Amino acid sequence: MIKLFAGIDVQISRGCCFYIIDKNKKYVSGGWIKEKIPQTFQKLFKILSDNQTDTIAIGIDAPRMPIKKLRSRNFNKQTNLWIESRDAKVGRECEVMIKSYSIANPQWTRTLKDSPEWMRLGFSIYKSLKDFPFVYEVFPSASYKMLSNANVEYELCLNEFNGGVKDMLDASVAAITVFEFINGRGCEVGGEDGLGTIVLPRKINYLD
C-alpha cells in the first residue's frame, strides 16, 4: 500500500524542492535540496519510507528522458490519431498531447546535448530513483488547469516556502497530482514513442 506521495520541483538556481503528503493528504515533510546530487533524493525517500520503496509514489516536474532524434509525428485530437509529419520537431509525444488538448504549454524536451542544465538534472534524478517502482512525470501547470474547479483539498504547510513560493507550491501540486492518479481519478498520456508518459490528475475528457 502506498502511504506517502511526494512531489519534486526541479531547478538549478535555488536548488530542487520537495513536498510530501500522506494517504490522508496531510503534510509530512518539505524542503530544499541545494546540492545538485540526485542521490540525495534517493537517500531521503528511503529514510522516509523506511526502505520500503513501494510505499511511496513520487511525481517529478521534469522530463523523464531526452529525445534521441527529432519527432516525426503529430497528434490530431479530433480523430484521436497520430499522423506522420514532414517537419521534424523537438518534444516527446506525451508533451504533444498536453499541447494538443490545450491543457498546458510544455517545455519541449530536446536531445541530451541540447538540453538545458535543469533538464539534465531531472534526467539524473529519475535514474537515481530507479529502485522506486512508483515514479511519475507530472506537469503542475496542467494540474492547475485540470483541478481549477475540482475542489481538491490537501494540507499545505508553509514551512520552507520562503525559499521559493511558486517552486514549493509546484512541488505540492506534483504530490497531489500523483495522489489523484494513484486513486483512480487521473490518467497518463503519451508513451508510444518509448520516451515516457505524463501523469495528470483527471481524465482528458474532463476538459471536453
Side-chain angles (χ1 to χ4, degrees):
M1 178 186 293
I2 297 176
K3 300 177 180 178
L4 298 174
F5 302 84
I8 300 174
D9 181 73
V10 178
Q11 61 161 307
I12 296 297
S13 59
R14 288 185 293 274
C16 299
C17 59
F18 65 93
Y19 195 92
I20 304 172
I21 57 176
D22 65 15
K23 61 183 179 180
N24 297 312
K25 299 190 286 187
K26 298 296 184 181
Y27 171 78
V28 173
S29 181
W32 295 81
I33 304 294
K34 299 294 185 180
E35 65 271 20
K36 302 169 189 176
I37 304 174
Q39 289 74 19
T40 305
F41 279 112
Q42 180 192 73
K43 294 176 183 176
L44 171 68
F45 294 145
K46 281 191 174 182
I47 291 172
L48 289 172
S49 66
D50 196 24
N51 284 315
Q52 296 178 304
T53 57
D54 61 348
T55 63
I56 183 170
I58 304 162
I60 303 176
D61 180 16
R64 182 179 290 273
M65 63 185 71
I67 62 174
K68 295 179 181 178
K69 60 181 180 179
L70 294 179
R71 172 172 48 84
S72 61
R73 299 202 304 175
N74 287 324
F75 184 73
N76 186 321
K77 74 173 184 178
Q78 276 74 36
T79 61
N80 200 37
L81 295 172
W82 290 94
I83 56 176
E84 293 296 324
S85 172
R86 294 182 179 179
D87 300 323
K89 299 179 181 179
V90 296
R92 297 169 299 143
E93 292 187 355
C94 54
E95 297 162 345
V96 173
M97 294 188 73
I98 294 289
K99 178 67 174 177
S100 296
Y101 282 100
S102 302
I103 303 173
N105 293 314
Q107 300 189 61
W108 302 103
T109 305
R110 304 165 180 82
T111 62
L112 183 60
K113 176 176 67 71
D114 293 330
S115 294
E117 187 178 0
W118 74 270
M119 281 192 183
R120 295 198 300 270
L121 177 58
F123 302 152
S124 62
I125 291 174
Y126 282 103
K127 290 180 180 177
S128 75
L129 297 176
K130 66 183 187 306
D131 293 334
F132 292 79
F134 304 112
V135 178
Y136 304 98
E137 179 179 341
V138 297
F139 196 176
S141 293
S143 296
Y144 288 126
K145 182 169 185 176
M146 297 188 95
L147 298 177
S148 61
N149 296 302
N151 293 317
V152 171
E153 298 180 359
Y154 62 97
E155 187 172 54
L156 191 65
C157 178
L158 297 183
N159 289 355
E160 307 290 344
F161 267 61
N162 195 46
V165 174
K166 180 61 164 60
D167 309 311
M168 284 295 294
L169 187 59
D170 280 356
S172 75
V173 170
I176 196 64
T177 296
V178 171
F179 178 92
E180 293 294 298
F181 173 73
I182 292 292
N183 283 281
R185 290 180 284 275
C187 69
E188 54 185 334
V189 296
E192 289 185 15
D193 56 2
L195 298 174
T197 63
I198 291 177
V199 161
L200 299 170
R202 288 292 183 270
K203 308 290 194 271
I204 287 284
N205 58 13
Y206 174 79
L207 295 177
D208 293 345

